[in-house]
Amino acid sequence: MSLPGIFVIAVFIVFPVVDAVRISLYDIDVLSDIETFVGFQNYLEVFRSPNFGTVLFNTAIWSVGSLIGQFVLGFVAALLINRNLPGMKLVRSILLMPYVVPVIAVALVTRWLLDGSYGILSHSLQQADLLAHNQSALANSTGAMIAVIVANVWRSFPFVMIAYWAAMQGIPREQYEAARIDGANKWQELIYVTLPNLVPVTVTLLILRLFWTVTYFDLVWLITQGGPGSSTEHWPLWIYQEAMGFFRFGQAAAIAVTMSVTLIFCWGLYGVWKRTGGGK
């Protein structure tokens, strides 16, 4: 590796990580700028916090719901655009649009659709007696979590769609021809030819999307700010609240380090899967 490359990694990756670990071992008074070494006390306070279980549960629901939605919608869309039908270029362009829409626009439209007074979706739910009069779906803990997941799925599924489509383009046509000679129908071609060839890209996508979803901050913050209560507060929002809301930088760093270790563990599992011949 070249010297400039080592410098960039040291400044933008190694130093922030080492400094975050150091901060997690200190109690920092921002007013007097005094740092007091407390060892693992910040970690113990994080694990003992009544918010820890809630945030962990919210992170799991947010991540699993988002991943399932992105993969199902992305796979179905990839099957659609993989067909040689008239007008498919236009369809591909339309399906890619959510990925280029700014996050702030997605958040504002979501809040507008779910507004309790004039939001179309909230009004429909009120008409169906699923919400009280003038109540927003974002004021309900379940509705708020569903809203942020759906918004994330809608904006993120094109990435999965493109990855699956590229993988489908690489499947040898001979495999489909051999399956047809053996009498396979379209459904059997999907089960026995397409899906097995998509296993490697699925695992890689799963790791990437898991990392990006768990650490995704802006969309949830812009739509709900973690509310109502703490019903949509997940790991990144908890870190932000501890650091910028309560100025507990030591605990915020401890949460960030804990989240990073968890994600590195998932990455390690992926490495073990690759070394043992996964996806071949």
Side-chain angles (χ1 to χ4, degrees):
M1 183 179 292
S2 63
L3 189 59
I6 295 174
F7 176 78
V8 169
I9 291 176
V11 171
F12 293 103
I13 297 179
V14 176
F15 173 74
V17 170
V18 172
D19 198 45
V21 174
R22 183 192 67 81
I23 292 174
S24 72
L25 303 176
Y26 283 82
D27 179 27
I28 301 175
D29 187 335
V30 292
L31 295 178
S32 58
D33 199 24
I34 296 176
E35 297 183 357
T36 306
F37 182 76
V38 294
F40 291 100
Q41 185 62 33
N42 287 326
Y43 290 91
L44 293 176
E45 291 183 8
V46 166
F47 291 128
R48 290 171 181 168
S49 169
N51 209 27
F52 180 76
T54 302
V55 170
L56 204 61
F57 178 76
N58 290 342
T59 304
I61 296 296
W62 154 258
S63 303
V64 173
S66 297
L67 290 176
I68 291 176
Q70 290 171 26
F71 276 73
V72 171
L73 198 56
F75 177 70
V76 173
L79 286 176
L80 174 65
I81 64 176
N82 194 42
R83 306 180 66 181
N84 293 320
L85 297 176
M88 201 50 64
K89 288 184 179 179
L90 178 61
V91 173
R92 290 168 191 154
S93 302
I94 293 173
L95 289 174
L96 276 173
M97 283 181 63
Y99 202 63
V100 298
V101 175
V103 174
I104 182 65
V106 177
L108 289 175
V109 170
T110 303
R111 291 180 66 88
W112 175 73
L113 290 172
L114 296 174
D115 186 272
S117 300
Y118 51 78
I120 298 172
L121 293 180
S122 285
H123 179 71
S124 300
L125 294 172
Q126 292 165 13
Q127 294 297 311
D129 290 331
L130 295 175
L131 286 177
H133 181 63
N134 278 345
Q135 184 185 19
S136 169
L138 295 177
N140 178 281
S141 57
T142 303
M145 179 59 80
I146 292 174
V148 293
I149 289 175
V150 170
N152 186 30
V153 168
W154 180 80
R155 187 174 185 277
S156 304
F157 88 89
F159 183 90
V160 179
M161 176 189 72
I162 290 298
Y164 271 141
W165 183 44
M168 289 176 183
Q169 293 288 307
I171 299 175
R173 298 295 100 185
E174 292 80 7
Q175 293 187 18
Y176 289 103
E177 292 172 1
R180 293 190 196 104
I181 292 173
D182 291 337
N185 55 32
K186 290 293 183 184
W187 175 253
Q188 290 169 326
E189 287 180 14
L190 175 67
I191 298 297
Y192 297 111
V193 179
T194 305
L195 291 181
N197 280 286
L198 296 181
V199 171
V201 70
T202 299
V203 176
T204 303
L205 273 175
L206 189 62
I207 295 297
L208 286 176
R209 297 308 312 180
L210 176 66
F211 277 42
W212 294 343
T213 303
V214 170
T215 58
Y216 201 10
F217 170 82
D218 44 5
L219 185 63
V220 181
W221 177 255
L222 290 169
I223 294 178
T224 66
Q225 296 188 351
S230 300
S231 58
T232 57
E233 185 178 7
H234 64 329
W235 251 337
L237 263 66
W238 194 20
I239 295 170
Y240 178 80
Q241 295 282 17
E242 289 292 329
M244 306 309 295
F246 306 113
F247 301 108
R248 294 194 286 250
F249 294 103
Q251 290 193 19
I255 299 168
V257 171
T258 304
M259 182 178 72
S260 301
V261 169
T262 304
L263 293 176
I264 290 171
F265 177 74
C266 294
W267 186 27
L269 291 179
Y270 172 68
V272 171
W273 179 81
K274 290 288 288 183
R275 281 197 298 272
T276 54
K280 292 182 180 179

